[in-house]
Amino acid sequence: MIDAREAPAVDREPRERDEFDVVVVGGGLAGALFAHELAREGRIVALVERDEMPRYRPYGWLPVSVVTALADAGLGDDLSARYLASPSARVLCARTGRSRVFAFDERTQPTRPVSAAHAPRADLDLLLARRARERGATVFTATRALDPRPREGSGYALFVRAHDGRTHEIETRFLVDASGESRWMSARASTPAEREGLDGAVMETHVSFAQPNAGAPAGSADIVSFAHGAVWMLPLRGGVHALGAAVTAPWAAQRRAAEGPEDFFDRTVRDATVLRAALSKSRRLHPVSTRVPVATRVERRAGPGWIAIGAAGGTVDPLLGMDAALAVLSVRHGLAVARASLDDGAEAEAEQRARFDAVMAEAEGRCERVARAVYRGAFADALLATDLSRADRAAIRAILRCELEGEMAEAGEAFARERW
């Protein structure tokens, strides 16, 4: 992992006026990857992150689609050198004790090995920010983006507050909101629309001294489905596991008056009886991080000269790594919007914005249907069914790989409709 002492400090104080082709607000997976890709093309890019890095973020599963996208961005060697590869996921049912391992790739001689990766997100965000800076991006940390103001003609003047409290103005031809759930820009542009369901809490932490997964390949993720949600356990390098729980709203309402987050988390995890032995000697390394999944979807993900990517554009909860997959998908299609704005004019940008909105709405709908099935407790029953055909298994791999476009995504969606 990257030493915190190597964190990307503010490259330089913003001058009274700095000018960039693109300013990206938010240094998470989506924002840092977006900045990295534009800087790799030779664009003049700034990445503005409000926190110091690294930031504590416990979740660690990068599904196959994300690993593939990062490898295509030239980051494959970083992933393989730093993070634990995961060839499969094991699905367990807490009610019946049944389990099944699903390999992400069942080809006997794959030309390109297919695997997920278990990467602490704090470390991954820091790695991507450093790589973006090495490509030429300017990285400002501990710097908060304030109000954007449209410039005459095109672009934005953006006020930012540096770590020393001083406010500066920078200018950009194109603005990217990658601020996550705070929706720094996208919340100004539209009224969020209510999303039904998925109202439960997501709780995450890291633990040590968890036992290896018995009966599953090395590096396999464990996903446990039970009556009031799901629990996941992901092995990381160094003997640490990422442990998380997604609980339904009715179960979250069972939290006792005097029960703190850690106690409630422990009680939730204890219900995943099939993990009891693995966690019997485990110890939490960090406080439990509790958040409510994004309960809204913004009506507009983009406008003239700006775009919202990652969770700033609307998302579903992080079970199965769907949030990471949506973030990377939004980067891939969002880059086309930025390029059109910078190179081809307003009409081309508008066409790309429409395509971006359509692609993301379709992908989010697919993810939401799968997540709802998980919360209903139907996930394990469907995946552990004894009558799975070869096509069914391929569809399940598409879901677990987080393939959100193309024939594999359509097959996964069809399986979800039929089974759930």
Side-chain angles (χ1 to χ4, degrees):
M1 295 185 188
I2 295 174
D3 192 308
R5 292 170 294 182
E6 300 177 22
V10 176
D11 279 338
R12 55 183 170 80
E13 295 291 344
R15 295 189 296 270
E16 189 166 336
R17 280 185 183 275
D18 275 322
E19 296 186 7
F20 297 93
D21 293 332
V22 178
V23 170
V24 182
V25 177
L29 171 60
L33 181 59
F34 202 100
H36 176 275
E37 291 300 89
L38 285 178
R40 192 159 68 142
E41 297 174 8
R43 311 281 186 176
I44 304 171
V45 184
L47 179 64
V48 179
E49 167 55 44
R50 68 181 179 181
D51 295 324
E52 292 282 6
M53 298 182 81
R55 311 163 294 175
Y56 169 61
R57 300 185 69 187
Y59 195 63
W61 193 6
L62 302 181
V64 172
S65 62
V66 175
V67 173
T68 301
L70 293 175
D72 290 342
L75 299 165
D77 289 343
D78 283 318
L79 296 186
S80 60
R82 309 186 70 81
Y83 307 130
L84 183 65
S86 176
S88 59
R90 180 171 61 168
V91 180
L92 306 100
C93 178
R95 177 169 51 84
T96 65
R98 292 181 297 162
S99 68
R100 174 175 281 175
V101 175
F102 290 93
F104 297 129
D105 193 332
E106 292 186 351
R107 292 176 294 175
T108 55
Q109 292 181 328
T111 57
R112 182 177 184 179
V114 173
S115 67
H118 297 159
R121 281 295 302 275
D123 189 74
L124 177 66
D125 292 350
L126 181 56
L127 172 67
L128 292 177
R130 289 186 63 202
R131 294 294 178 261
R133 189 173 64 174
E134 290 169 4
R135 293 289 188 180
T138 299
V139 178
F140 299 115
T141 58
T143 302
R144 182 178 293 272
L146 302 175
D147 295 322
R149 185 182 70 232
R151 297 189 307 183
E152 185 176 349
S154 64
Y156 291 87
L158 174 65
F159 292 94
V160 298
R161 181 175 295 131
H163 62 94
D164 60 4
R166 291 186 294 169
T167 300
H168 306 268
E169 182 180 354
I170 60 178
E171 295 190 353
T172 181
R173 296 170 58 195
F174 193 83
L175 189 57
V176 179
D177 179 1
S179 62
E181 296 171 18
S182 64
R183 294 197 171 113
W184 168 80
M185 180 76 176
S186 57
R188 291 174 168 84
S190 61
T191 302
E194 281 297 322
R195 169 180 292 173
E196 298 177 2
L198 301 181
D199 297 325
V202 174
M203 311 179 75
E204 304 160 290
T205 190
H206 287 146
V207 298
S208 61
F209 304 117
Q211 300 301 308
N213 296 337
S220 182
D222 272 346
I223 305 171
V224 182
S225 177
F226 58 118
H228 46 268
V231 168
W232 57 87
M233 188 169 76
L234 314 177
L236 307 173
R237 282 185 173 169
V240 175
H241 284 71
L243 183 66
V247 301
T248 58
W251 177 246
Q254 299 297 315
R255 181 174 168 180
R256 297 159 187 160
E259 196 171 36
E262 282 77 13
D263 292 336
F264 178 64
F265 177 79
D266 289 344
R267 184 159 62 92
T268 300
V269 171
R270 280 198 301 272
D271 269 22
T273 53
V274 290
L275 291 181
R276 189 168 293 168
L279 296 172
S280 61
K281 298 180 181 179
S282 66
R283 179 173 61 86
R284 282 195 306 268
L285 299 177
H286 305 284
V288 173
S289 172
T290 304
R291 60 193 175 100
V292 175
V294 178
T296 57
R297 179 187 287 123
V298 295
E299 296 166 352
R300 291 178 59 203
R301 295 172 176 83
W306 72 272
I307 192 170
I309 60 174
T315 188
V316 295
D317 81 25
L319 190 62
L320 303 179
M322 290 186 293
D323 62 336
L326 286 168
V328 168
L329 186 68
S330 72
V331 169
R332 178 150 58 88
H333 289 281
L335 285 168
V337 181
R339 292 175 187 131
S341 179
L342 295 172
D343 300 334
D344 302 323
E347 184 176 346
E349 180 192 349
E351 292 177 1
Q352 291 295 338
R353 288 203 311 267
R355 172 171 171 74
F356 173 80
D357 280 341
V359 167
M360 295 310 300
E362 182 177 7
E364 283 188 4
R366 284 180 172 143
C367 290
E368 189 169 354
R369 284 184 282 276
V370 173
R372 283 182 175 174
V374 172
Y375 275 69
R376 287 200 306 268
F379 183 63
D381 287 341
L383 271 59
L384 298 174
T386 58
D387 59 344
L388 288 178
S389 67
R390 183 173 182 178
D392 287 337
R393 291 195 297 272
I396 292 169
R397 287 200 303 276
I399 293 171
L400 294 174
R401 288 168 58 148
C402 282
E403 300 284 354
L404 304 182
E405 291 185 290
E407 293 182 4
M408 289 188 71
E410 292 173 3
E413 185 175 17
F415 175 84
R417 282 199 307 268
E418 293 167 4
R419 290 282 182 170
W420 301 333

